[in-house]
Amino acid sequence: MNLKKIKIPLHWQILGGMIAGLIWGIIAVNSGYGQFTSDYLKPFGTIFVNLLKMIAIPMIITSLIVGISSLSDIKKLSRIGGKSIGIFLLTTVMAISIGVAMVNIFKPGEGIPEETKQQLMAAYADKAGSSTEKAADFKERPPLQTLIDLFPENLISAATDNKNMLQIVLVVILAGIALILVPADKTEPVKKLFEGLNEIILKMVDIIMYMAPIGVFGLMSAVITEVAGDDPAKAISILSALGRYGLVLIVALILHMLLVYIPIVKFVAKLNPITFLKKMRPVQLLAFSTSSSNATLPLNIENSTERMGLSKDVAGFTLPLGATVNMDGTSMYQAVAAVFIAQVFNMDLTFSDQLIIIVTATLASIGSAGVPGAGMIMLVIVLNAVHVPAEGIALILGPDRILDMCRTVVNVTGDAAVTAAVARGEYAIDEEVFNG
Ligand code: ASP
C-alpha cells in the first residue's frame, strides 16, 4: 500500500482537529489545563487565522484582476454588482424575517427566572459595557461616513488593513476597468503577471491549509476553556438557562439554509444542492472553527472557483463583497437577540418595532465586520432603535461565541450560494468542475 497516495479530504482533517480540540478542551477544563491551553495551544490557532487573514487581500486583488480582465465589456461588471447586491439584501431580509417569526412563536425569553436574569446581568455587565461603547463610536459618525469610507485616499494604507476589504475591491475594479480599456498589446504582460500571482496565491492557500488540523485544534480547545472559564459548573448552568434562546437561533439558521439557500442553488443557480453542500463542507467547518468570514474568505474563493467551477470574475467580486456586507446569520442573530432581550425585560414589541428591527438588523449586519463577535457590537444599534436597554446584551454574552460560530457558517454559505446564482445568470459556471 502506497501511503503517499492516501490523502485525507480537507473537511475530515478540519473535523478531526475540531473533535480533538473539543475533547482536549473538556479535559483541560476538568483538570486545570486552561492556562496551558491558552498559553501553548491557542497560539497555533492564532497563527493559522493570521495566515488566512494575511492572504485575503492579495487573493482578492489577484483573483478579481484576473476575473475582470477576462471580461470583454464593462456592462457585465455593473450587472454582476447590481444582481449580487439585490440578492444579498433579499436573503438578509428573509433571514431576519425567519428569525423574528421563530423568536415570536417560541418566546425563549419568557421563561427566564428573575434570579438567573440578575446573575447574568451581574456576571457580564463589564463586557456588555465595552460593546455599548464601541457601538456608540459607530453611531456618532456623520450619515454618509460609511459611503466616504469606501473610497481610500491611499492605496497602500488601504491594503494594510483587512477592515478595508471593500476599499480594495473598489480600487481593483477600477484597475480592472482600466485594464479592459487599454489596448491589449500593452496590458498582456500585466495580465500574465496577475495570472501567475493568482496561481501562486492559490497554492499558498493550499499550503496554509496543511496547518488546518492543528490550527483548528488550537482554536477549538481555546473556545471550550474560555467559555467554561474558572467555573465550569456556572458556565453549564448559564448555557442551560439560555438553551432555548440558542436552540431557537440554531433552528432558525438551519431553516434559512433549507428554505432560502437550497432553493437559490437549485432553482436560480440550477445546480444540485447536495453537491453544493458537500463542496461547501471544508469552508463551513473553517467558518465554524474560526468564527470569521474574513479568515474564511481565501478558502471560500478557492473552493468556489477551483472546486465548484464558478468563474473568477463573479466569485472574485461577490465573495469579498459578501464577506463584508452579506451576513444573513448575523442579521438573523441580531433580530432574534433583540426580541429575546425584550422578552426577558417583559417589554412588548409592537408590529412597527418588529419592522424597525428588520431594517436596523439589515443595516447593522452590513456594518458588522467579518470577525468574531462583530455582530454583537452592532446589536446595540438594533436595541437602541427599539428602546430595549443595551445592557441587556449581558444576558446573551455567555453562549455568544458558540452562536457566533454557527452564524458565521450561514454567512459564508450565503455568500457562496449568491455567487452561484449570479454566476448562472452570467453563464459563468463550469458544470464539469462542479460535478467533478
Ligand atoms: N463572526 C461573524 C462573521 O465573521 C460576524 C458576527 O456575527 O459576529 O461572519
Side-chain angles (χ1 to χ4, degrees):
M1 191 168 56
N2 187 351
L3 276 179
K4 271 194 186 149
K5 287 218 175 108
I6 301 177
K7 180 154 176 8
I8 304 171
L10 184 58
H11 60 271
W12 289 122
Q13 294 183 32
I14 302 180
L15 200 64
M18 273 170 60
I19 294 172
L22 187 79
I23 295 173
W24 171 257
I26 295 171
I27 295 175
V29 167
N30 289 303
S31 45
Y33 282 113
Q35 196 57 40
F36 172 83
T37 304
S38 63
D39 287 347
Y40 294 102
L41 299 179
K42 189 180 176 189
F44 293 99
T46 311
I47 294 173
F48 177 57
V49 170
N50 284 354
L51 286 171
L52 288 170
K53 286 188 186 157
M54 174 274 295
I55 208 78
I57 288 199
M59 179 130 189
I60 295 172
I61 297 177
T62 57
S63 61
L64 203 48
I65 291 260
V66 170
I68 298 178
S69 61
S70 65
L71 295 179
S72 46
D73 74 301
I74 291 166
K75 261 195 244 137
K76 183 170 173 187
L77 201 60
S78 44
R79 208 172 48 229
I80 296 175
K83 276 190 207 167
S84 26
I85 292 173
I87 311 182
F88 282 157
L89 275 179
L90 195 71
T91 55
T92 302
V93 172
M94 285 173 162
I96 302 174
S97 310
I98 294 176
V100 168
M102 290 283 290
V103 71
N104 277 304
I105 295 171
F106 293 102
K107 300 195 186 339
E110 284 189 353
I112 306 268
E114 187 58 34
E115 194 195 342
T116 315
K117 186 170 119 185
Q118 297 308 336
Q119 277 170 356
L120 290 171
M121 295 294 285
Y124 292 100
D126 289 354
K127 283 195 194 156
S130 86
S131 297
T132 318
E133 275 164 31
K134 284 190 199 142
D137 292 347
F138 191 87
K139 258 183 73 191
E140 273 158 21
R141 292 150 28 113
L144 289 189
Q145 192 58 41
T146 308
L147 184 67
I148 297 173
D149 286 349
L150 286 181
F151 299 89
E153 60 175 49
N154 183 307
L155 175 59
I156 308 292
S157 67
T160 56
D161 188 346
N162 279 357
K163 285 198 210 94
N164 299 332
M165 207 104 85
L166 278 192
Q167 293 187 343
I168 296 298
V169 171
L170 276 183
V171 174
V172 175
I173 288 176
L174 187 64
I177 292 174
L179 204 68
I180 299 174
L181 296 176
V182 171
D185 57 327
K186 299 228 168 59
T187 55
E188 209 45 46
V190 180
K191 281 190 197 168
K192 287 258 166 317
L193 172 71
F194 275 95
E195 274 167 22
L197 284 173
N198 188 235
E199 290 299 322
I200 294 172
I201 286 169
L202 286 171
K203 201 34 95 202
M204 285 172 77
V205 175
D206 285 343
I207 299 171
I208 295 171
M209 291 315 290
Y210 280 123
M211 204 197 150
I214 172 86
V216 166
F217 170 79
L219 292 170
M220 278 307 283
S221 49
V223 165
I224 303 294
T225 50
E226 278 160 18
V227 169
D230 315 328
D231 188 351
K234 193 173 123 208
I236 291 174
S237 89
I238 287 177
L239 291 184
S240 52
L242 296 175
R244 266 178 68 205
Y245 154 72
L247 204 63
V248 164
L249 182 58
I250 291 172
V251 172
L253 288 170
I254 295 172
L255 277 182
H256 184 64
M257 295 246 229
L258 297 178
L259 301 179
V260 179
Y261 297 155
I262 300 265
I264 286 183
V265 171
K266 185 156 175 52
F267 300 112
V268 188
K270 301 199 170 59
L271 293 171
N272 183 337
I274 308 285
T275 315
F276 172 83
L277 285 178
K278 270 193 191 153
K279 296 221 160 180
M280 277 306 286
R281 271 186 311 209
V283 180
Q284 291 175 326
L285 288 170
L286 189 68
F288 186 78
S289 28
T290 59
S291 248
S292 167
S293 301
N294 285 3
T296 313
L297 180 62
L299 186 67
N300 209 358
I301 295 181
E302 183 185 51
N303 192 56
S304 304
T305 53
E306 310 290 301
R307 292 184 65 229
M308 291 208 212
L310 311 181
S311 78
K312 286 196 171 122
D313 53 345
V314 176
F317 175 78
T318 50
L319 290 175
L321 185 69
T324 336
V325 305
N326 182 47
M327 299 204 175
D328 295 352
T330 301
S331 63
M332 173 189 279
Y333 146 78
Q334 286 165 337
V336 170
V339 178
F340 170 78
I341 294 171
Q343 287 171 352
V344 178
F345 286 139
N346 291 324
M347 293 173 70
D348 271 333
L349 294 178
T350 59
F351 184 68
S352 66
D353 285 334
Q354 314 256 1
L355 287 182
I356 293 175
I357 289 182
I358 295 185
V359 176
T360 47
T362 303
L363 297 175
S365 71
I366 292 175
S368 305
V371 295
M376 196 187 56
I377 296 171
M378 300 302 279
L379 168 62
V380 176
I381 292 179
V382 182
L383 294 175
N384 282 345
V386 283
H387 309 292
V388 174
E391 305 76 68
I393 282 198
L395 294 169
I396 53 158
L397 262 163
D400 198 69
R401 176 60 193 235
I402 296 167
L403 298 174
D404 190 359
M405 295 158 86
C406 302
R407 61 191 191 243
T408 310
V409 173
V410 173
N411 290 346
V412 299
T413 309
D415 298 340
V418 174
T419 302
V422 175
R424 171 59 73 201
E426 300 299 325
Y427 306 99
I429 304 180
D430 186 335
E431 305 240 1
E432 249 173 58
V433 176
F434 183 84
N435 294 315

